[in-house]
Amino acid sequence: MRYLGSKTLLLEQIYDLIKEYREGIFCDPFGGIGTVGSYMKKKDFHVITGDILNFAHFFQYTLIERSAESDFTKLYQALQINSKEEFENLMNRSVVNDGWLIKEYSEQRRFFTKDNAKRIQGCINLIQEWYSEELITDNGRKVLVASLINSFDKVANTAGTYYGYLKQFDRRALKEFRFAMLPVVRGKTSYSLKTDAIELVSNCKCDVLYLDPPYNERNYARYYHLPETIAAGVVPLPSGKSGVFRLEGEKTSEYNKKNHALEAFKELIDHADAKCIIFHYTDYGLIRIEDARKILSSYGTVEKECYFNSKGYSTSSHKRKENKHHIIKVCR
Ligand SMILES: C[S@@+](CC[C@H](N)C(=O)[O-])C[C@H]1O[C@@H](n2cnc3c(N)ncnc32)[C@H](O)[C@@H]1O
């Protein structure tokens, strides 16, 4: 799935900075959809990951905490099927003619073609039905919802987030929606929690603490409102051009607020208990890099400081560019 601030292109570089701690605990409290965490699980770390978003937690459960194929025995028996392939085929045949996603996010707003919306709505309805009939567990639902979101993102008529849709249907949006289950990632025992970073960091003694917070005012809950709505299992009352729906209790992260981000970061570091901290940020974020460096220096010794461009190449150029990654490694 496309995700704002995804580190997909920097995984090897991040691993290179921490490989001496392999087999230890890697804690990723701003874990997003589990891109870095699942990679570190493959690299033999025990991973503990978190995020404040529901749908991000669903991805993290599926790709990080889950250690084997989910047990859908009860569901498969009820449906009289035997394999994942048969299940995917069944999901891909479930087409319905009306529902909130079709009306709000296809007819009123062109997030999906009508054809794809009918298929996606069919999958949403089935998952909801199976959950109310107790044919799937909470964890089973997490796997199905994360797989559904990952699948429909491939045909979403957006520039990458759900904050808006494109005027004309993009080539990717015209492709046919296909439901596919997310894979199991094998590795050491790992956990995922839907929680604020401060809670996770305060309770997690680890080898590596990887900190990749948001660096500007873009609120992830708003940019990914549709996946969040589906994870919450509610029928939304969307408003405005983008059809944003605010879930009850939705809060803006302190890291998205200019006057709060530094204080939140300081508190986080005060509660950290890690052999090594990797801070992944930008020089033009809400926290000034000099302030962050000062706080991190009081935690331990700055062992390395480097820049990567968005393609993952290391760079020493300081030319202003929002998307340049600045990494500070601090060890005790
Ligand atoms: C830059 S993204 C992480 C990207 C991720 N490393 C990846 O490669 O896909 C930051 C994440 O932090 C989450 N977040 C923001 N504030 C948070 C908080 N206070 N506690 C936990 N997670 C938070 C956001 O929901 C978002 O998923």
Side-chain angles (χ1 to χ4, degrees):
M1 172 181 183
R2 295 167 293 169
Y3 200 59
L4 206 60
S6 164
K7 302 302 178 294
T8 310
L9 296 172
L10 287 171
L11 296 169
E12 276 174 48
Q13 288 81 347
I14 300 167
Y15 177 65
D16 268 349
L17 291 168
I18 56 165
K19 56 185 175 211
E20 70 226 64
Y21 299 100
R22 204 165 151 253
E23 299 196 0
I25 297 175
F26 177 87
C27 178
D28 182 6
F30 300 94
I33 56 168
T35 305
V36 179
S38 57
Y39 184 83
M40 295 307 163
K41 185 180 177 192
K42 282 188 215 152
K43 292 287 187 189
D44 245 3
F45 278 99
H46 290 275
V47 177
I48 302 181
T49 177
D51 204 284
I52 43 173
L53 293 187
N54 270 304
F55 92 93
H57 167 66
F58 285 16
F59 271 79
Q60 292 179 7
Y61 169 78
T62 304
L63 297 171
I64 296 169
E65 182 162 328
R66 191 170 66 135
S67 57
E69 288 293 350
S70 305
D71 181 6
F72 288 120
T73 315
K74 207 169 163 187
L75 178 66
Y76 283 14
Q77 269 170 5
L79 301 172
Q80 299 188 329
I81 56 171
N82 295 308
S83 66
K84 194 173 83 177
E85 290 66 36
E86 279 184 78
F87 178 75
E88 289 175 340
N89 287 338
L90 182 144
M91 290 294 262
N92 283 319
R93 287 197 306 270
S94 68
V95 182
V96 294
N97 285 320
D98 53 28
W100 62 265
L101 184 116
I102 302 172
K103 186 166 156 257
E104 301 287 356
Y105 296 101
S106 167
E107 290 170 357
Q108 309 253 359
R109 303 168 183 92
R110 292 152 67 100
F111 278 92
F112 299 101
T113 62
K114 186 95 178 258
D115 235 34
N116 281 337
K118 287 178 175 183
R119 293 163 183 273
I120 300 164
Q121 183 79 62
C123 293
I124 295 174
N125 295 2
L126 282 180
I127 297 173
Q128 198 67 20
E129 212 174 287
W130 296 330
Y131 187 60
S132 354
E133 289 169 6
E134 297 185 9
L135 290 173
I136 51 174
T137 59
D138 276 334
N139 285 342
R141 179 172 177 272
K142 287 178 193 173
V143 175
L144 296 186
V145 170
S147 300
L148 173 62
I149 294 170
N150 190 55
S151 304
F152 74 54
D153 192 63
K154 294 187 170 56
V155 296
N157 189 36
T158 65
T161 76
Y162 291 82
Y163 205 59
Y165 55 93
L166 304 172
K167 277 204 185 112
Q168 303 299 330
F169 277 117
D170 184 49
R171 229 180 33 204
R172 58 184 289 133
L174 293 170
K175 288 194 191 137
E176 188 179 89
F177 163 77
R178 304 297 296 164
F179 174 90
M181 285 278 220
L182 280 166
V184 173
V185 175
R186 313 267 169 197
K188 293 211 160 16
T189 319
S190 297
Y191 298 97
S192 63
L193 290 137
K194 192 215 159 232
T195 188
D196 198 290
I198 187 67
E199 291 297 321
L200 181 50
V201 168
S202 306
N203 293 294
C204 182
K205 185 175 159 79
C206 57
D207 295 275
V208 180
L209 178 59
Y210 174 68
L211 300 176
D212 182 24
Y215 62 83
N216 57 27
E217 277 156 345
R218 286 187 219 149
N219 175 354
Y220 278 75
R222 209 68 57 76
Y223 277 74
Y224 291 93
H225 61 92
L226 188 55
E228 261 314 72
T229 295
I230 294 173
V234 296
V235 175
L237 289 171
S239 63
K241 221 175 151 218
S242 319
V244 173
F245 172 64
R246 293 189 72 160
L247 288 168
E248 228 180 277
E250 179 203 303
K251 282 198 228 127
T252 302
S253 167
E254 301 298 283
Y255 294 87
N256 293 129
K257 299 180 192 160
K258 195 170 189 306
N259 295 328
H260 295 239
L262 179 64
E263 204 41 50
F265 182 66
K266 188 174 178 316
E267 195 191 349
L268 198 67
I269 301 302
D270 280 348
H271 287 81
D273 188 358
K275 289 185 189 151
C276 160
I277 297 180
I278 302 287
F279 179 54
H280 197 149
Y281 210 61
T282 161
D283 285 357
Y284 306 102
L286 299 179
I287 302 173
R288 289 189 332 147
I289 209 78
E290 308 84 76
D291 294 336
R293 190 186 293 113
K294 206 162 146 200
I295 292 169
L296 288 164
S297 305
S298 68
Y299 182 86
T301 313
V302 176
E303 273 200 6
K304 186 155 182 149
E305 204 167 333
C306 50
Y307 285 94
F308 293 110
N309 66 18
S310 51
K311 294 218 164 79
Y313 298 113
S314 72
T315 163
S316 53
S317 150
H318 288 254
K319 259 199 277 168
R320 184 179 172 101
K321 255 206 169 159
E322 295 283 338
N323 60 5
K324 203 168 291 160
H325 300 259
H326 190 151
I327 296 188
I328 304 180
K329 175 182 179 183
V330 164
C331 299
R332 266 189 171 162

